[in-house]
C-alpha cells in the first residue's frame, strides 16, 4: 500500500496564529491610546477647571477693587464734617483695612480690599497707612506758569527745591509747560526736540500726566519715579540691585522721587465743611447778601460786611462807636470789592452821617486782629464765605500736608518759614483745633502777620478735594492667590466725585504682604463692606449712606 502523505501542517497553528497575536497587540495599543486620551482629557479638564477657578478669582478681586473705588466715592461724596465723624480719611484702618465683600463672616475664602497710601515722616516714606492722599500736598505743574507771571522766578525756584532737581531740568520742564518758544538759559524748546531721534514737539502747555515728563530734557525715570518699581512705598532689595548704576542712584534711594512731590490734578471746591456753597462776599445784590450772612453770622458781623462793601476800609484813627443795632441803607450800592476774606480782619469802616452837622460813625470790625479772636472767629468766616464765584480753585498747596520741599517753593514762603510750618504742624498733630482746618492757622499761631497771610492766601489752603490712593484686592489668608491692584485719583470738588485717573498695577504684583494688608486676621473678626458690624466707625458711616 502506498503510504498516505498527510498534508504538511504549518508550524503556526490556528491557535497560535500570528494574526491573533497581532490583534492582541493592536488591542493593547488601542487601549493604551484610549487610556492616554482619557488621561489627557482628564488633565485638560483639570487644567481648564483650574483656569476657570483662577479666572473667577481674578474677576472676584477685580470686583473687590471696584468696590473699594465705590467706597471712596461714597465717602468723598459726603461733606468733610461727615468724613471726620467716620474717623477721617487720612489714616483709618477701621474703614479702609481688609474690607470684606462677604455677606457674613463665616466664609472661609473671603475677597478683601484695602485702601492704602504712603506714610511719610520727616520727608521720608516709612511704610503704608490706610487712607487717601491729598493731591494738594503736591506741587501742581498746571499753575507754575501763572506763578511765574505773577512773581518772575518763583516757578523755577519751586522746582529747584525738589531733591535731585538741576537747573537744566527745571528750565526744561518750564519750557515744556509755557506757551512761548523761547528756551530758558538751560532749557529746551522745539529746536532741541526736533534734533532727537525720533523727533517730537514740546507740549507748550501743562502735561497731561507726570509720565509725560520723561520726554523732557534731563528728566530721567530714576529721578521722576525712583527705585520703587513695584510701587509698594519702599525700595526692596531686588530693586536696589537692579537700579541703573549712575551718578543719581544714591540720591534716588536716599530721597523721594519727583513724582511724590508733583501733580497735575490738585484742586478744591468752593464749598463749606458742611458741603454747602459758600456765600460770596462780593455779591452785587446787598439785600440778598445781607440775608445770606444773617443766617450764617451774628448781626454785628453781617452789618459790618455790608458797610465794608458800601464804603470800603477807613484809614483814620478816630474813636469807634458801638454797633448797637445800626440801621443800614441797603439801597446804597456796593462800591468796594473785597479782595480777600482777610481784608475784614482788624478793619474799620466810616459810615457817613445823615447830615453835615453830625460826624461819621466809625465801626470797628468784629473780626479783631488778635490771636485769640482769630482762633475762634476766623475758621468759621473762612469756611462759610468766599470772595470768588469760581466753583473750583486749582493748584493751591496744602500747608497741613505738603512736604517742606514743596512748601519752600510756594511764592512768599522761604526755607525758614517752611521749616517753621513743618515744626508747628508736627507739634499740633493730633489736636482737633478748628483753626488747623484752614491755612489761616499760620496767622492765628503767629507764624505770619496779617499782610503776609493776605499775600499767601492765593497760594495755600488747609486741604484740597482731589485724592489719590491704591486699592489692593486679595483673598484672606491666601499668600499664593491672584491679586488685583490699582491706583486711582478721584475728584471730589463737586457733589458727585468722579475718577480722573485709574492705573492698573496688577502686573507689578500685590506689592504688600497679607500681614501689612490685614489679610491674615481671623476671618470672624474682620469687617464686611456689605454687612458692617455695629458700634464701629465703618458701620456708622455705611448706615448713614443707607
Amino acid at each position: 500500500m502506498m503510504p498516505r502523505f498527510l498534508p504538511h501542517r504549518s508550524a503556526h497553528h490556528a491557535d497560535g496564529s500570528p494574526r491573533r497575536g497581532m490583534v492582541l497587540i493592536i488591542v493593547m495599543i488601542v487601549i493604551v491610546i484610549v487610556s492616554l486620551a482619557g488621561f489627557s482629557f482628564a488633565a485638560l479638564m483639570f487644567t481648564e477647571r483650574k483656569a476657570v477657578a483662577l479666572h473667577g478669582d481674578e474677576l472676584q478681586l477685580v470686583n473687590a477693587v471696584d468696590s473699594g473705588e465705590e467706597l471712596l466715592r461714597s465717602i468723598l461724596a459726603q461733606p468733610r464734617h461727615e468724613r471726620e465723624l467716620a474717623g477721617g480719611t487720612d489714616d483709618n484702618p477701621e474703614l479702609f483695612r481688609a474690607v470684606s465683600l462677604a455677606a457674613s463672616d463665616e466664609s472661609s475664602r473671603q475677597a478683601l480690599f484695602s485702601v492704602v497710601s504712603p506714610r511719610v515722616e520727616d520727608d521720608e516714606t516709612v511704610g503704608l497707612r490706610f487712607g487717601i492722599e491729598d493731591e494738594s500736598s503736591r506741587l501742581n505743574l498746571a499753575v507754575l506758569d501763572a506763578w511765574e507771571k505773577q512773581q518772575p522766578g518763583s516757578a523755577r525756584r519751586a522746582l529747584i527745591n525738589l531733591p535731585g532737581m538741576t537747573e537744566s531740568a527745571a528750565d526744561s520742564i518750564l519750557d515744556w509747560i509755557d506757551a512761548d518758544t523761547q528756551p530758558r538759559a538751560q532749557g529746551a524748546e522745539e529746536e532741541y526736540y526736533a534734533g532727537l531721534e525720533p523727533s517730537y514737539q514740546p507740549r507748550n502747555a501743562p502735561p497731561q500726566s507726570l509720565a509725560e515728563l520723561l520726554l523732557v530734557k534731563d528728566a530721567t525715570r530714576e529721578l521722576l519715579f525712583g527705585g520703587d518699581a513695584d510701587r509698594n512705598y519702599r525700595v526692596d532689595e531686588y530693586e536696589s540691585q537692579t537700579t541703573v548704576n549712575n551718578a543719581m542712584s544714591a540720591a534716588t534711594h536716599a530721597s523721594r522721587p519727583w513724582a511724590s512731590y508733583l501733580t497735575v490734578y490738585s484742586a478744591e471746591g468752593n464749598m463749606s465743611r458742611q458741603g454747602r456753597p459758600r456765600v460770596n462776599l462780593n455779591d452785587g445784590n446787598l439785600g440778598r447778601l445781607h440775608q445770606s450772612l444773617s443766617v450764617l453770622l451774628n448781626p454785628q458781623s453781617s452789618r459790618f460786611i455790608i458797610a465794608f462793601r458800601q464804603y470800603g476800609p477807613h484809614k483814620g484813627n478816630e474813636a469807634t462807636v458801638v454797633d448797637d443795632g445800626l440801621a443800614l441803607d441797603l439801597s446804597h450800592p456796593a462800591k468796594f470789592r473785597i479782595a480777600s476774606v482777610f481784608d475784614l480782619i482788624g478793619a474799620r469802616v466810616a459810615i457817613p452821617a445823615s447830615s453835615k452837622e453830625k460826624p461819621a460813625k466809625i465801626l470797628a470790625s468784629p473780626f479783631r486782629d488778635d490771636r485769640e479772636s482769630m482762633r475762634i472767629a476766623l475758621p468759621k468766616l473762612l469756611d462759610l464765605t468766599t470772595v470768588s464765584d469760581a466753583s473750583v480753585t486749582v493748584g493751591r498747596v496744602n500747608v497741613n500736608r505738603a512736604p517742606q520741599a514743596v512748601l519752600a517753593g510756594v511764592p512768599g514762603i522761604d526755607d525758614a518759614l517752611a521749616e517753621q510750618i513743618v515744626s508747628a504742624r508736627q507739634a499740633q498733630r493730633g489736636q482737633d483745633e478748628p483753626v488747623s482746618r484752614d491755612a489761616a492757622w499760620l496767622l492765628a499761631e503767629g507764624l505770619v502777620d496779617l499782610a503776609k497771610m493776605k499775600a499767601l492766601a492765593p497760594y495755600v489752603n488747609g486741604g484740597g478735594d482731589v485724592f489719590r490712593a491704591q486699592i489692593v484686592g486679595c483673598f484672606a489668608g491666601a499668600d499664593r492667590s491672584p491679586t488685583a491692584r490699582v491706583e486711582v485719583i478721584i475728584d471730589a470738588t463737586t457733589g458727585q466725585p468722579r475718577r480722573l485717573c485709574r492705573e492698573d498695577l496688577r502686573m507689578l504684583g500685590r506689592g504688600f504682604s497679607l500681614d501689612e494688608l490685614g489679610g491674615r486676621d481671623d476671618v470672624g473678626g474682620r469687617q464686611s463692606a456689605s454687612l458692617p458690624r455695629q458700634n464701629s466707625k465703618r458701620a456708622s458711616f455705611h448706615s448713614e449712606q443707607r
Side-chain angles (χ1 to χ4, degrees):
M1 173 182 283
M2 294 296 292
R4 179 188 294 178
F5 291 98
L6 298 174
H8 176 72
R9 176 176 289 182
S10 172
H12 301 284
H13 191 266
D15 292 338
S17 169
R19 287 177 295 177
R20 294 194 65 179
M22 184 63 68
V23 169
L24 181 61
I25 293 173
I26 292 174
V27 169
M28 291 178 64
I29 292 174
V30 170
I31 291 174
V32 170
I33 293 174
V34 171
S35 299
L36 289 176
F39 282 125
S40 298
F41 180 77
L44 178 61
M45 292 300 98
F46 181 74
T47 302
E48 286 292 327
R49 180 181 179 279
K50 289 181 64 177
V52 169
L54 180 62
H55 184 60
D57 287 347
E58 290 176 343
L59 290 178
Q60 193 171 353
L61 291 177
V62 169
N63 288 333
V65 167
D66 291 343
S67 297
E69 183 176 342
E70 287 303 314
L71 174 65
L72 284 181
R73 290 187 185 183
S74 65
I75 290 173
L76 295 177
Q78 303 303 308
R80 288 181 179 268
H81 174 70
E82 298 295 334
R83 299 178 215 164
E84 291 175 358
L85 291 179
T89 58
D90 181 56
D91 191 6
N92 191 342
E94 192 172 356
L95 192 61
F96 295 126
R97 180 176 182 261
V99 183
S100 172
L101 300 183
S104 70
D105 293 332
E106 298 176 358
S107 173
S108 60
R109 183 173 174 80
Q110 292 190 24
L112 313 172
F113 70 81
S114 295
V115 179
V116 299
S117 295
R119 182 181 298 278
V120 179
E121 296 177 3
D122 298 327
D123 208 16
E124 293 293 332
T125 303
V126 296
L128 61 82
R129 56 185 170 85
F130 295 93
I132 58 181
E133 185 178 4
D134 183 358
E135 283 294 281
S136 291
S137 63
R138 304 179 181 213
L139 179 64
N140 194 326
L141 295 173
V143 300
L144 290 184
D145 194 38
W147 285 12
E148 188 71 10
K149 292 176 181 178
Q150 294 162 4
Q151 297 188 29
S154 60
R156 191 174 194 264
R157 176 175 169 268
L159 290 175
I160 288 293
N161 281 324
L162 304 185
M165 181 66 69
T166 64
E167 293 183 354
S168 176
D171 281 351
S172 298
I173 291 173
L174 293 175
D175 280 335
W176 186 272
I177 293 173
D178 64 28
D180 63 51
T181 58
Q182 181 65 35
R184 287 171 167 77
Q186 300 185 47
E189 282 284 1
E190 182 177 348
E191 183 178 357
Y192 171 83
Y193 298 106
L196 299 179
E197 184 61 39
S199 62
Y200 51 90
Q201 297 284 333
R203 181 173 292 277
N204 288 330
Q208 295 183 348
S209 70
L210 291 183
E212 186 179 317
L213 293 183
L214 293 175
L215 299 173
V216 176
K217 173 189 171 187
D218 292 341
T220 66
R221 181 171 293 276
E222 289 77 22
L223 287 168
L224 184 58
F225 295 114
D228 181 17
D230 61 359
R231 311 272 284 276
N232 65 348
Y233 311 138
R234 61 176 177 264
V235 178
D236 298 306
E237 184 178 355
Y238 79 91
E239 292 171 328
S240 299
Q241 295 171 349
T242 57
T243 300
V244 177
N245 184 19
N246 57 31
M248 294 309 301
S249 292
T252 298
H253 289 291
S255 60
R256 300 164 64 194
W258 295 349
S260 62
Y261 297 97
L262 299 174
T263 184
V264 295
Y265 298 112
S266 64
E268 62 197 276
N270 202 358
M271 308 286 284
S272 72
R273 297 180 61 78
Q274 300 292 337
R276 302 185 182 94
R278 294 185 173 112
V279 173
N280 186 359
L281 299 180
N282 289 315
D283 189 343
N285 187 328
L286 292 185
R288 180 175 57 198
L289 176 60
H290 184 262
Q291 183 178 6
S292 299
L293 291 175
S294 298
V295 176
L296 303 176
L297 306 175
N298 60 51
Q300 292 81 5
S301 299
S302 302
R303 287 193 292 267
F304 180 83
I305 292 173
I306 297 298
F308 193 87
R309 287 289 315 282
Q310 290 176 324
Y311 306 108
H314 178 65
K315 303 299 183 181
N317 297 320
E318 300 92 332
T320 60
V321 299
V322 177
D323 179 3
D324 53 356
L326 179 69
L328 293 175
D329 182 5
L330 295 178
S331 64
H332 188 81
K335 298 181 179 179
F336 189 81
R337 185 176 181 84
I338 301 175
S340 168
V341 175
F342 294 100
D343 288 341
L344 300 174
I345 306 300
R348 292 153 58 91
V349 173
I351 300 179
S354 56
S355 63
K356 295 182 179 180
E357 291 78 17
K358 296 181 179 180
K361 295 181 179 179
I362 311 299
L363 289 183
S365 174
F367 310 105
R368 299 192 301 274
D369 188 7
D370 64 79
R371 291 180 59 178
E372 187 60 29
S373 176
M374 288 187 290
R375 189 185 301 274
I376 297 173
L378 191 53
K380 182 178 181 180
L381 180 65
L382 292 170
D383 180 45
L384 299 177
T385 66
T386 181
V387 295
S388 172
D389 279 330
S391 59
V392 176
T393 302
V394 175
R396 294 206 300 176
V397 173
N398 182 353
V399 295
N400 294 320
R401 296 293 175 190
Q404 186 171 330
V406 172
L407 289 174
V410 174
I413 298 181
D414 56 19
D415 292 337
L417 179 55
E419 184 176 356
Q420 289 179 329
I421 293 173
V422 172
S423 298
R425 74 188 186 194
Q426 288 176 345
Q428 291 184 351
R429 187 166 294 168
Q431 299 180 14
D432 186 21
E433 292 195 18
V435 71
S436 66
R437 298 170 183 166
D438 192 274
W441 69 266
L442 303 180
L443 175 62
E445 293 300 317
L447 273 66
V448 299
D449 59 20
L450 184 57
K452 185 75 168 181
M453 191 68 242
K454 289 181 182 180
L456 290 178
Y459 305 105
V460 296
N461 64 21
D465 293 305
V466 179
F467 301 93
R468 175 193 303 258
Q470 282 192 37
I471 307 173
V472 186
C474 63
F475 285 103
D479 280 307
R480 302 179 66 84
S481 67
T483 185
R485 181 157 65 114
V486 300
E487 182 175 76
V488 295
I489 299 176
I490 297 178
D491 179 359
T493 56
T494 61
Q496 295 298 323
R498 61 190 181 97
R499 178 205 300 166
L500 295 179
C501 177
R502 173 167 165 148
E503 184 178 1
D504 193 336
L505 305 180
R506 277 182 294 180
M507 296 299 293
L508 302 180
R510 187 172 60 214
F512 310 95
S513 69
L514 288 179
D515 293 326
E516 290 177 297
L517 297 174
R520 212 186 295 278
D521 294 346
D522 293 336
V523 173
R526 188 174 294 112
Q527 296 293 330
S528 168
S530 55
L531 292 177
R533 293 182 180 273
Q534 297 302 316
N535 301 321
S536 72
K537 294 173 183 175
R538 184 182 297 159
S540 63
F541 178 82
H542 284 283
S543 64
E544 289 171 5
Q545 304 315 301
R546 296 192 184 99

